[in-house]
Amino acid sequence: MKNSLDKIRKKIDIIDKEIFYLFSERFNLVKNISDIKSKLGLLSFDKDRESFILNKIINDNTNISKNFIEDILNRVFFESYILENNTYDKIIYNTNSKINITIIGGDGNMGILFKDKFIKSGYIVKSINSSNWDINLEFIINSNVIIISVPISKFISIIDKLNNLNLSKNIIIVDISSIKHFTIKSILNIHEGPVLGLHPMFSNNIDNFSNQIMICCNGRLSDSYKWILDQFKLWGLILHTIDSIEHDKYMLYIQYLRYFIFLSYGLFLIRNNININEMINISPSFNYIFLNLFIYFFNQDSKIYIEIINYSKKNDNNIINSFLDNINLIKLYIKNNKIDEIFNEIKKWINLNIDKKYINKSSNIIKNSIILK
């Protein structure tokens, strides 16, 4: 019996070796494809191609779990995009002259990320800060694009400096802060040219831009900066356009309220002397995901969180108080043994308002967390 087990395991080892050899061959072909796609000006991220491959392999392998195939292929796609982005160097904006880009705050985490990406794509980029502002005035004034990547607390001082330069109307000014209405309005007040508000919904430590979300808020003259958005698409970013006021409203729920919940939860665990390692060890899948998000949150630089909280609390439309009122309401439901009423109300709201694909994705995420754990 032991010999039979060893023989089968040896066969499995051989198959595993073949599988990873084929993965290596596939990734080599991906590198070749990225060179061709780059020269043709094709987008790095190709959802239709992904869907075609996924559906074909699922249909050809009915004896293998659909979820398993999706998990494997999604990881293969992700690794492929990393390889593609390492070789992409196509500039979508066709011009005989080089494009000069000034990144104010280009030495910060997000500034460095975009600086490296633009340079790799062939643009002339300079990082500007308070120490080298004066010696680079000529470059700033002659830039095609000025990207502002500074903390919210420093934003107005930068706007004042730009206002004193009498910039050309042809210069595109881009802001990449996490708030939009205030920053876009401030730029529009001092600049008559094209204005674009961006909010990268990712951190600076990502492997590549593919499938990452970039929120876009129009300020003025959107046709003038269309080439920038085309460049982002070429890098694989998913662009989502939204009004700046709507953006700020949703960020109160996506960022501000979430930060409040994490801070409250963390302080509560400390005050109750909870062993978080033990919590992770015995947590079911959905709580395991939550705890990992919680841990990730507190392993980031607190400065960005503090900036967002300090700005948002001035414009929170009483969100925190309303949230606390709902906690008291739920306590009342629990006390009166009516928790099923509030549960069913929320469940009904989800089923009526959320796209079914997100419900299916949530199930897959929970299943995948079992593997990760």
Side-chain angles (χ1 to χ4, degrees):
M1 187 69 72
K2 180 69 166 58
N3 289 337
S4 297
L5 179 63
D6 289 340
K7 286 181 181 179
I8 294 173
R9 282 178 170 171
K10 285 180 180 179
K11 288 182 180 180
I12 289 175
D13 290 342
I14 292 171
I15 292 172
D16 286 343
K17 185 177 180 179
E18 291 175 351
I19 288 172
F20 281 91
Y21 171 77
L22 291 173
F23 274 144
S24 179
E25 287 293 292
R26 190 188 194 283
F27 290 139
N28 285 333
L29 292 173
V30 165
K31 292 177 184 177
N32 295 334
I33 284 177
S34 67
D35 289 334
I36 297 171
K37 286 167 69 175
S38 173
K39 291 171 183 175
L40 293 174
L42 298 176
L43 303 183
S44 169
F45 179 64
D46 190 341
K47 192 65 181 176
D48 291 338
R49 173 66 178 165
E50 277 190 17
S51 298
F52 171 78
I53 295 172
L54 194 59
N55 291 331
K56 186 176 187 304
I57 293 180
I58 288 172
N59 292 333
D60 290 346
N61 296 275
T62 54
N63 60 322
I64 299 177
S65 161
K66 178 182 175 182
N67 287 336
F68 175 77
I69 293 174
E70 288 178 344
D71 291 344
I72 295 296
L73 282 180
N74 283 332
R75 186 66 203 186
V76 169
F77 293 151
F78 182 77
E79 292 297 324
S80 297
Y81 287 129
I82 292 176
L83 292 172
E84 285 194 20
N85 274 268
N86 287 337
T87 58
Y88 252 67
D89 59 0
K90 174 75 177 179
I91 298 178
I92 262 188
Y93 185 60
N94 293 317
T95 177
N96 293 325
S97 60
K98 287 287 186 178
I99 296 175
N100 293 338
I101 299 177
T102 291
I103 301 183
I104 301 174
D107 295 329
N109 291 335
M110 194 58 71
I112 291 172
L113 179 66
F114 279 94
K115 176 186 175 182
D116 291 346
K117 202 68 176 176
F118 276 115
I119 288 175
K120 186 177 179 181
S121 292
Y123 297 92
I124 300 172
V125 184
K126 275 197 177 183
S127 296
I128 307 297
N129 52 49
S130 56
S131 64
N132 67 357
W133 181 279
D134 292 335
I135 62 175
N136 285 296
L137 279 179
E138 185 177 352
F139 186 88
I140 298 172
I141 293 170
N142 292 314
S143 292
N144 302 97
V145 182
I146 296 175
I147 298 175
I148 304 174
S149 177
V150 299
I152 300 167
S153 58
K154 296 182 179 180
F155 188 82
I156 289 299
S157 64
I158 296 299
I159 291 299
D160 290 340
K161 281 189 172 185
L162 291 176
N163 191 29
N164 293 330
L165 298 181
N166 296 316
L167 297 173
S168 165
K169 295 180 182 179
N170 295 322
I171 295 177
I172 302 167
I173 299 185
V174 181
D175 161 59
I176 59 172
S177 68
S178 57
I179 60 170
K180 289 276 74 79
H181 186 63
F182 166 75
T183 53
I184 290 175
K185 185 178 179 181
S186 299
I187 299 171
L188 291 172
N189 286 338
I190 61 103
H191 183 57
E192 296 182 10
V195 176
L196 169 63
L198 299 173
H199 185 182
M201 298 304 290
F202 46 85
S203 63
N204 63 292
N205 59 358
I206 58 172
D207 293 314
N208 71 98
F209 279 175
S210 292
N211 234 354
Q212 301 290 344
I213 296 173
M214 174 74 85
I215 297 179
C216 309
C217 300
N218 178 43
R220 184 191 295 124
L221 301 174
S222 58
D223 286 344
S224 299
Y225 60 70
K226 180 180 178 297
W227 65 269
I228 298 178
L229 302 184
D230 288 340
Q231 180 67 65
F232 290 160
K233 291 177 184 177
L234 185 65
W235 289 340
L237 285 168
I238 297 174
L239 307 183
H240 184 86
T241 302
I242 189 172
D243 174 76
S244 61
I245 295 177
E246 282 290 288
H247 166 276
D248 289 355
K249 181 185 79 172
Y250 279 105
M251 285 306 123
L252 288 174
Y253 296 90
I254 293 171
Q255 293 182 322
Y256 180 49
L257 183 58
R258 176 166 55 91
Y259 299 169
F260 176 82
I261 292 170
F262 278 165
L263 289 167
S264 302
Y265 187 70
L267 192 60
F268 182 77
L269 294 181
I270 292 172
R271 295 290 185 265
N272 286 275
N273 197 29
I274 298 299
N275 184 333
I276 194 166
N277 291 308
E278 193 65 12
M279 280 187 69
I280 294 171
N281 289 334
I282 63 175
S283 284
S285 299
F286 61 87
N287 202 59
Y288 178 74
I289 293 172
F290 173 80
L291 287 173
N292 274 276
L293 292 172
F294 170 75
I295 293 166
Y296 179 83
F297 176 83
F298 287 103
N299 274 285
Q300 305 305 303
D301 188 345
S302 64
K303 291 178 183 177
I304 181 65
Y305 299 141
I306 293 169
E307 283 261 322
I308 292 171
I309 290 170
N310 285 337
Y311 177 81
S312 298
K313 70 182 180 183
K314 304 172 187 175
N315 307 278
D316 75 352
N317 297 321
N318 217 27
I319 283 177
I320 298 300
N321 287 334
S322 176
F323 181 74
L324 294 174
D325 288 343
N326 274 274
I327 290 177
N328 290 326
L329 179 62
I330 291 172
K331 285 170 61 179
L332 187 62
Y333 272 91
I334 293 173
K335 181 180 178 181
N336 295 326
N337 296 317
K338 292 183 177 180
I339 196 66
D340 59 318
E341 291 184 18
I342 193 72
F343 181 89
N344 289 328
E345 181 182 344
I346 297 170
K347 182 177 180 179
K348 181 180 179 182
W349 173 78
I350 287 174
N351 288 324
L352 287 175
N353 292 280
I354 296 182
D355 193 312
K356 290 294 185 290
K357 68 180 180 182
Y358 295 123
I359 295 177
N360 294 333
K361 279 186 177 181
S362 67
S363 297
N364 289 336
I365 289 171
I366 297 299
K367 290 176 182 176
N368 288 340
S369 70
I370 298 172
I371 300 171
L372 293 173
K373 191 173 182 181

